[in-house]
Amino acid sequence: MGLKGKSLLSLFLITWVVFSSVLFILNAHRYIGNNFFESDNFQVTKEDFKQQLGRFVLQPFDEEKAKASITVTQDEIDYHRNYYGTLSEQVANIRDQYSDRIFQAEESKDAQLKEILMAERDAKIADIKENFADDEHVEEKIRKQKEQIIEEFAKAEKLAAKDFLNNFGYFTYSLVNVNTGEKFESANITKSNTFSESYGNQKPYFNVNNQFYIGAGDGYYDSVALINQMEINYETVQFEGVISIPKSMLNATIFATEYRAFSVTKIILYIIWATGILAIAGLFTFAKPSFEQYKNTSRLKELFLRVPIDVRIVIIFISALFAYISVEQINNLISITGYYQNLAPHLLEILFDFVVLFMLVTVVVLGVFWIKDSFNQEQKFKQELKSAFLYKLADGIQDLFINRSIGIQSVVILIITFLSGVGFVGGMMDGDDLLAIYVVLLFFIGLPACIIFLRRMGYLNRIMKQTKEMAEGRLTTPIKVKGKSPFAKHAENLNHLREGVRKSLTEQAKSERLKTELITNVSHDLRTPLTSIITYTDLLKNSNITEEERNKYIDVLDKKSARLKTLIEDLFEVSKMASGNMELNKQRIDLTQLMQQAVGEHEEAFLNANLDLRITKPDVPLYANVDGQKWWRVLDNLVVNALKYSLEGTRVYVTLTQKGMDAEFTVKNITKYELGENVEELTERFKRADASRHTDGSGLGLAIAQSIVDMHNGRLQIDVDGDLFKVTLTVPID
């Protein structure tokens, strides 16, 4: 639904009020209570007339008085005397000037010319010598030069006085010297005047105080000037009387057209201001605007409210600015109309400008009403602010400066781009000099900045392309790192991320494989004793077995149950350690004694297994703050592990030493089974060196040891060199 009826009338009256108000602001000081003769233009003309009247008529330049006031100073005499150098330099210079000419006269055998040239030379030399010998001689020369300057100046003043009479012939004057009574009066004085201004008789006097500056600056002094300027000051003289412009002379003035234009324009403006007052009255009565009038213009309002709030405010501001410009344009057309006293040629242009003004004022009025409506609800107002263009721009700029280097470089590139455009336009408009400077700056600043920008954007595109490949899973090619820019740093970070993802995928694959092996090994290790238990239980149910067989079966059941119990307890313990539910009871323990106990329990077993056990330990106690029970479990697991998997007939080395602030426990043996390359997997649960799982181990020994060591902030390291198996355990000592 669009604007209709009363709404359009209200908008028209608002536009007219705005139009008349701006015209009032622009013109009131010139037209209200004033006439043309109070305008600035006429005041400038009047003051010019008064100044020239005083100079050429009331107190003209006095040539004789100026000559009588001539003075010559000693500085001027010295300046004149030494103007061309010292006495010897000037004499030598004169002789050089005449030597060639005299020589030519001799060559041509022209005795008369030679005599004349020599006489001129000697006369000038004599004059120079007299200059250096007699101050009065020099003073007389200077005085004559000054008199000549004054004579030239007086001639120029007489010519300027004639021009004054021609230029201001429409002015009349009747003035009397207050001191001497001398009267100055123009020839065409009348009583019927368009303009008149009186002086004296309780009004300010017409004051004349001429100052004449004569010298090289006025063009009256030659290149041998001894002075820059002569200044002649006259005393202030007061005059009373009147200056005026007769009505009969108005058409002869240079401002006759301006006078008529002022009167016509004043009438037009008075009419506009009067109708503006009527428009204000209408807005408070029959055409009073309200929000409800414009609320139902849904289509226009919907389009306007789609724009961000700050852009709407800018639109309103720009519309108001252009509305002001439109009023100024109409104001100029009114002045032109007054000047030519013909409205017809400019009527269509005035109407067009007023239609544009009406549209702009409509945008401002409706925009203000609709913005006010959007501010009524606090929640809606907050949403408006968050959707503002400047808010988003500030948010974007803030993100731009997350990396300060990129932010600064971006701003510098924008500034260079902007200045390049400004420089190009300025260079094209202001001539060759500025264009030359622009070309230099373009080649040494603009183009290098552009090249750097394009290279950086190309590098960024390459990074984005390879990032996409990484996102799709292609991790084979690292991003090339170029230079030390923020993009290069970003490429380096992406390479680190790529390597991390690659390792993560490798670890994930390894984890899946180990998980599968874990399920398989747990199933095997649990099923083996469980199968034996079930089998021998079924055999015990047979009533025909002998007592000896029954005892044998019960013994097997006891061993298999104990193994199953140990396996389940180890698995439960590893699970608790992995979940962090295991608590430590740390005490100050002698590791030397603890190692002796752990190894001593298995010395007979090593002997029976045909293994040569070699023990190395410190001679003094070695203390550490550990959980004694669990640390004994670690040592026991490592010793038992060596007992199970060492090749018969070989030596097993168990060593405890102090390395710095750590205690180091080492077990070395020759394995009876061939070990693979993935040695680090031996600490995984149910991972055994006996891949065929023919031994009685659970595969949890090293996993348990690893977990306990980690809980004590220690380190367990496995090294394999062929069949040599080495476990190194370190823990901080107390």
Side-chain angles (χ1 to χ4, degrees):
M1 185 175 179
L3 294 168
K4 293 183 180 179
K6 186 177 178 181
S7 299
L8 286 173
L9 178 59
S10 298
L11 288 172
F12 174 79
L13 293 179
I14 291 172
T15 303
W16 193 263
V17 170
V18 170
F19 172 61
S20 59
S21 299
V22 175
L23 285 181
F24 182 84
I25 294 171
L26 293 174
N27 299 290
H29 66 286
R30 287 187 292 178
Y31 292 99
I32 294 182
N34 296 328
N35 56 44
F36 173 76
F37 297 110
E38 294 172 324
S39 66
D40 294 337
N41 289 341
F42 178 77
Q43 291 299 317
V44 170
T45 302
K46 182 193 72 175
E47 292 301 321
D48 190 19
F49 166 74
K50 289 172 60 179
Q51 189 272 333
Q52 294 193 40
L53 178 65
R55 175 168 181 167
F56 300 119
V57 177
L58 303 180
Q59 196 180 49
F61 178 71
D62 190 335
E63 180 180 347
E64 297 303 323
K65 183 178 180 181
K67 288 181 179 180
S69 64
I70 291 176
T71 60
V72 179
T73 65
Q74 186 62 43
D75 289 339
E76 290 176 325
I77 293 172
D78 294 338
Y79 179 83
H80 180 90
R81 176 178 290 152
N82 296 285
Y83 186 78
Y84 292 107
T86 63
L87 174 60
S88 58
E89 290 173 344
Q90 293 186 41
V91 170
N93 184 34
I94 294 298
R95 286 176 175 170
D96 289 341
Q97 291 178 17
Y98 281 89
S99 61
D100 290 340
R101 295 166 65 188
I102 292 173
F103 178 75
Q104 291 174 4
E106 289 179 347
E107 288 291 319
S108 61
K109 297 181 180 181
D110 190 343
Q112 184 178 1
L113 177 59
K114 177 182 177 182
E115 185 179 350
I116 292 173
L117 291 174
M118 292 178 65
E120 288 182 1
R121 180 196 64 187
D122 294 341
K124 288 184 177 181
I125 291 175
D127 183 63
I128 291 172
K129 291 179 178 179
E130 191 173 359
N131 285 342
F132 280 88
D134 187 2
D135 287 349
E136 293 182 0
H137 178 72
V138 179
E139 180 181 351
E140 184 62 27
K141 285 185 177 182
I142 296 173
R143 189 176 297 277
K144 287 182 179 179
Q145 288 179 350
K146 290 187 176 184
E147 287 179 352
Q148 184 180 358
I149 292 170
I150 292 173
E151 290 172 1
E152 294 296 328
F153 183 81
K155 291 179 181 178
E157 285 291 292
K158 291 178 181 179
L159 294 175
K162 292 181 180 179
D163 292 337
F164 160 70
L165 294 175
N166 292 331
N167 294 334
F168 294 95
Y170 48 85
F171 270 100
T172 61
Y173 55 89
S174 178
L175 298 169
V176 177
N177 189 320
V178 175
N179 297 326
T180 64
E182 184 179 4
K183 187 173 185 180
F184 298 86
E185 190 173 75
S186 59
N188 51 354
I189 291 179
T190 64
K191 294 182 180 180
S192 179
N193 297 313
T194 300
F195 163 80
S196 64
E197 186 171 273
S198 301
Y199 303 95
N201 192 16
Q202 298 182 351
K203 291 184 179 180
Y205 287 104
F206 189 120
N207 295 321
V208 179
N209 182 17
N210 286 333
Q211 293 176 313
F212 297 97
Y213 299 94
I214 311 169
D218 294 315
Y220 302 124
Y221 219 42
D222 58 20
S223 60
V224 196
L226 306 179
I227 57 172
N228 290 326
Q229 194 176 65
M230 285 189 294
E231 181 179 340
I232 300 176
N233 297 318
Y234 287 1
E235 295 181 356
T236 301
V237 180
Q238 294 181 327
F239 293 86
E240 60 181 4
V242 63
I243 63 171
S244 58
I245 299 176
K247 291 183 178 180
S248 59
M249 298 296 294
L250 181 61
N251 291 332
T253 63
I254 59 174
F255 47 78
T257 304
E258 294 181 11
Y259 175 80
R260 289 189 292 268
F262 183 91
S263 301
V264 173
T265 303
K266 185 175 182 180
I267 293 172
I268 294 174
L269 290 175
Y270 272 38
I271 293 173
I272 293 174
W273 293 336
T275 54
I277 294 173
L278 295 177
I280 293 174
L283 289 173
F284 280 95
T285 54
F286 62 88
K288 186 176 182 179
S290 65
F291 176 73
E292 296 298 326
Q293 292 179 250
Y294 313 114
K295 189 175 182 180
N296 294 326
T297 54
S298 57
R299 181 59 179 165
L300 294 174
K301 183 178 180 180
E302 180 182 352
L303 292 174
F304 185 74
L305 293 181
R306 286 181 184 177
V307 181
I309 181 67
D310 48 351
V311 177
R312 279 180 253 157
I313 293 174
V314 170
I315 290 174
I316 292 173
F317 176 78
I318 292 176
S319 298
L321 178 62
F322 277 96
Y324 177 80
I325 293 173
S326 297
V327 176
E328 278 197 326
Q329 179 67 18
I330 297 174
N331 182 60
N332 293 334
L333 292 173
I334 291 173
S335 298
I336 295 173
T337 299
Y339 189 82
Y340 292 102
Q341 300 186 23
N342 188 359
L343 182 62
H346 307 287
L347 181 59
L348 290 177
E349 191 174 354
I350 292 175
L351 290 175
F352 174 79
D353 287 338
F354 187 81
V355 171
V356 172
L357 174 64
F358 175 76
M359 296 171 62
L360 293 170
V361 171
T362 299
V363 170
V364 173
V365 173
L366 294 181
V368 170
F369 272 111
W370 290 336
I371 288 178
K372 180 182 177 182
D373 181 42
S374 66
F375 285 174
N376 286 337
Q377 301 178 6
E378 182 179 354
Q379 189 64 27
K380 191 174 181 181
F381 175 67
K382 291 181 179 179
Q383 292 176 354
E384 291 276 11
L385 291 181
K386 288 184 178 180
S387 63
F389 177 79
L390 289 178
Y391 182 89
K392 295 179 179 178
L393 179 62
D395 189 50
I397 292 176
Q398 185 177 1
D399 290 344
L400 177 65
F401 282 92
I402 290 176
N403 187 310
R404 184 176 298 177
S405 177
I406 291 179
I408 293 174
Q409 290 180 32
S410 301
V411 171
V412 170
I413 290 293
L414 287 175
I415 292 173
I416 290 175
T417 303
F418 174 75
L419 293 180
S420 296
V422 173
F424 176 76
V425 174
M428 296 300 292
M429 293 177 61
D430 290 345
D432 296 338
D433 293 340
L434 191 58
L435 184 60
I437 296 174
Y438 167 76
V439 170
V440 172
L441 295 177
L442 175 66
F443 277 99
F444 288 97
I445 297 179
L447 288 181
C450 182
I451 291 172
I452 293 173
F453 174 75
L454 293 177
R455 289 182 62 187
R456 294 281 172 86
M457 290 302 101
Y459 188 33
L460 179 60
N461 284 335
R462 179 175 292 277
I463 293 174
M464 292 173 65
K465 178 183 177 183
Q466 292 191 253
T467 303
K468 181 180 178 183
E469 292 177 356
M470 289 172 57
E472 293 172 351
R474 297 195 291 274
L475 305 175
T476 55
T477 306
I479 302 172
K480 186 175 181 180
V481 179
K482 297 181 179 180
K484 298 182 180 180
S485 67
F487 292 150
K489 185 65 177 177
H490 181 59
E492 186 178 351
N493 292 336
L494 287 174
N495 284 335
H496 292 326
L497 178 62
R498 165 187 165 276
E499 187 64 22
V501 172
R502 189 184 64 78
K503 288 182 179 179
S504 176
L505 292 176
T506 303
E507 291 295 326
Q508 184 178 0
K510 175 184 174 183
S511 177
E512 292 295 329
R513 177 173 60 80
L514 291 176
K515 185 189 297 183
T516 303
E517 291 180 2
L518 174 64
I519 294 172
T520 303
N521 294 336
V522 168
S523 301
H524 178 275
D525 289 350
L526 290 177
R527 186 170 61 246
T528 300
L530 187 59
T531 302
S532 298
I533 291 172
I534 293 172
T535 301
Y536 283 96
T537 301
D538 289 340
L539 290 174
L540 286 173
K541 292 178 182 179
N542 188 354
S543 59
N544 296 325
I545 61 173
T546 64
E547 188 64 28
E548 183 182 354
E549 289 176 330
R550 185 182 302 278
N551 290 334
K552 181 180 178 181
Y553 293 161
I554 291 173
D555 184 57
V556 172
L557 286 172
D558 183 59
K559 290 181 180 179
K560 297 299 181 181
S561 298
R563 169 160 173 72
L564 184 60
K565 178 185 176 184
T566 301
L567 186 64
I568 292 174
E569 286 177 350
D570 286 350
L571 183 61
F572 181 68
E573 190 169 2
V574 168
S575 177
K576 285 206 308 182
M577 291 180 183
S579 62
N581 294 326
M582 181 68 70
E583 295 183 0
L584 297 178
N585 183 20
K586 290 186 178 182
Q587 295 177 340
R588 193 169 186 265
I589 303 295
D590 181 5
L591 297 180
T592 305
Q593 183 181 359
L594 189 65
M595 184 193 100
Q596 183 66 36
Q597 293 175 357
V599 175
E601 291 187 8
H602 301 286
E603 286 183 346
E604 185 177 351
F606 274 96
L607 184 62
N608 295 334
N610 193 21
L611 295 172
D612 185 5
L613 182 63
R614 300 294 178 92
I615 302 173
T616 303
K617 63 180 188 296
D619 297 330
V620 296
L622 190 62
Y623 292 99
N625 189 28
V626 296
D627 186 322
Q629 182 180 359
K630 290 182 174 56
W631 201 255
W632 181 90
R633 177 74 181 276
V634 172
L635 301 181
D636 183 71
N637 282 356
L638 295 179
V639 172
V640 170
N641 188 69
L643 178 62
K644 288 181 180 180
Y645 298 109
S646 295
L647 182 67
E648 292 182 4
T650 60
R651 286 184 287 273
V652 177
Y653 296 90
V654 180
T655 306
L656 177 65
T657 59
Q658 180 179 349
K659 294 291 182 69
M661 297 302 295
D662 292 330
E664 185 177 276
F665 179 80
T666 306
V667 178
K668 292 188 290 186
N669 64 288
I670 303 298
T671 63
K672 66 171 66 175
Y673 302 105
E674 183 178 355
L675 299 176
E677 295 181 356
N678 296 327
V679 181
E680 67 276 3
E681 293 184 6
L682 291 175
T683 57
E684 298 291 340
R685 287 167 289 180
F686 288 94
K687 198 70 178 178
R688 291 162 60 178
D690 175 18
S692 60
R693 312 187 77 79
H694 291 155
T695 60
D696 290 337
S698 66
L700 295 172
L702 289 179
I704 292 172
Q706 178 72 69
S707 298
I708 294 174
V709 170
D710 290 341
M711 293 172 66
H712 284 82
N713 296 321
R715 181 164 55 91
L716 188 149
Q717 181 178 346
I718 298 176
D719 296 301
V720 174
D721 186 1
D723 292 332
L724 176 62
F725 183 82
K726 177 182 177 183
V727 180
T728 303
L729 174 67
T730 59
V731 66
I733 62 174
D734 186 7

